[in-house]
Amino acid sequence: MTALEIVARDGKKMVWIPAGEFIMGSEEFGPEMPMRKVHLPGYYIDAYPVTNAEYKRYMTATYAIAPRHWGGMEIPPGLENHPVHRISWFEAVMYAEWAGKRLPTEAEWEKAARGTDGRRWPWGNEFNEDNALVWDRGDYLMTAPVDAHPGGVSPFGVYEMVGNVEEWCADWYDAYPGSPYKGKAFGKKFKVLRGGNSFFTQNHARCAYRCFTRPEDSGVDNVVGCGFRCVLDSADLK
């Protein structure tokens, strides 16, 4: 029997996303088309984004460099439980490999965020400003603690999937199968980011919304940069 929750090598709680179909994509925005059913095998995903404190443990173990937003090698006071950000795709991959995990595919990220019924946000189809840190709230915070919005939990028990920080996925930014949309940015140039951040509006922090940047980028100064969470296949449990 598959455990519904585990604690991974890096000390993070992971939750089980069972095998089966879910509704991926939308008809709201060209790069999200078409809305369709996708079948995935089961996998584990981090219940929360990787935090500054967790990234610091990784740095200590591997001598990795600090994220730019720290301004040095130590976590800014009070931000220990905030999501780490201004991390490049390559840095996220290296953390994942150290932890015995990998980055999620777009499909894995989206299923964990929206469940199986095609909802717009993890909690449903009506936006609730208490459930995510986005620009509409007017807080104008860079980031918030990863456990600050318990009402934003997804149907599978995954938190902070929209707002706060964008999260890297494994995929190149490209058209979905059968998509009528022809994007100039499609191809093996950019990696996908999901979930939006505190500078995004609610409509751009939906479960289906796709963003992208170059894998070597980590975000510009004075703006919330790129964060991440990891997944683990059950066959890789040690």
Side-chain angles (χ1 to χ4, degrees):
M1 180 177 177
T2 304
L4 297 181
E5 294 183 359
I6 60 169
V7 176
R9 184 189 304 173
D10 58 348
K12 287 187 70 62
K13 183 176 82 169
M14 305 188 80
V15 298
W16 177 246
I17 311 299
E21 285 188 340
F22 79 107
I23 298 174
M24 184 174 182
S26 83
E27 302 299 321
E28 295 186 47
F29 188 47
E32 303 166 12
M33 298 170 62
M35 180 178 278
R36 67 209 188 280
K37 290 184 178 180
V38 174
H39 185 280
L40 293 177
Y43 58 96
Y44 288 99
I45 191 167
D46 291 338
Y48 298 93
V50 174
T51 66
N52 288 313
E54 290 159 348
Y55 201 79
K56 175 64 175 179
R57 290 199 291 272
Y58 159 71
M59 288 168 50
T60 300
T62 65
Y63 302 101
I65 63 172
R68 293 203 322 274
H69 73 96
W70 289 12
M73 292 301 290
E74 299 302 323
I75 304 168
L79 298 185
E80 291 81 4
N81 199 38
H82 287 229
V84 69
H85 68 105
R86 294 188 189 151
I87 299 294
S88 74
W89 184 87
F90 296 106
E91 290 171 317
V93 167
M94 287 189 290
Y95 176 100
E97 291 177 349
W98 169 78
K101 306 179 190 180
R102 58 180 174 82
L103 293 183
T105 65
E106 270 198 275
E108 288 169 336
W109 190 98
E110 189 168 328
K111 182 177 181 179
R114 76 192 306 193
T116 60
D117 59 6
R119 60 185 60 192
R120 299 185 85 219
W121 293 282
W123 56 87
N125 291 320
E126 297 295 326
F127 186 74
N128 185 328
E129 67 177 15
D130 293 330
N131 290 345
L133 179 61
V134 293
W135 189 256
D136 310 62
R137 287 172 50 135
D139 294 340
Y140 309 128
L141 300 173
M142 290 289 285
T143 59
V146 297
D147 56 0
H149 307 102
V153 65
S154 83
F156 291 116
V158 189
Y159 294 83
E160 294 296 298
M161 294 296 278
V162 295
N164 215 346
V165 299
E166 292 183 277
E167 299 181 9
W168 287 112
C169 290
D171 309 66
W172 293 105
Y173 181 64
D174 212 340
Y176 287 152
S179 175
Y181 184 79
K182 308 298 181 185
K184 292 182 179 179
F186 285 164
K188 294 188 176 182
K189 298 178 288 186
F190 303 105
K191 289 291 186 178
V192 172
L193 289 160
R194 286 302 203 103
N197 62 38
S198 59
F199 284 69
F200 279 53
T201 65
Q202 59 179 269
N203 193 50
H204 295 89
R206 294 174 290 106
C207 295
Y209 187 77
R210 309 174 74 196
C211 201
F212 60 91
T213 194
R214 296 188 183 278
E216 64 270 22
D217 292 343
S218 58
V220 298
D221 290 335
N222 302 317
V223 175
V224 178
C226 310
F228 67 102
R229 75 179 75 215
C230 304
V231 300
L232 180 65
D233 299 304
S234 59
D236 292 333
L237 287 173
K238 299 290 192 268

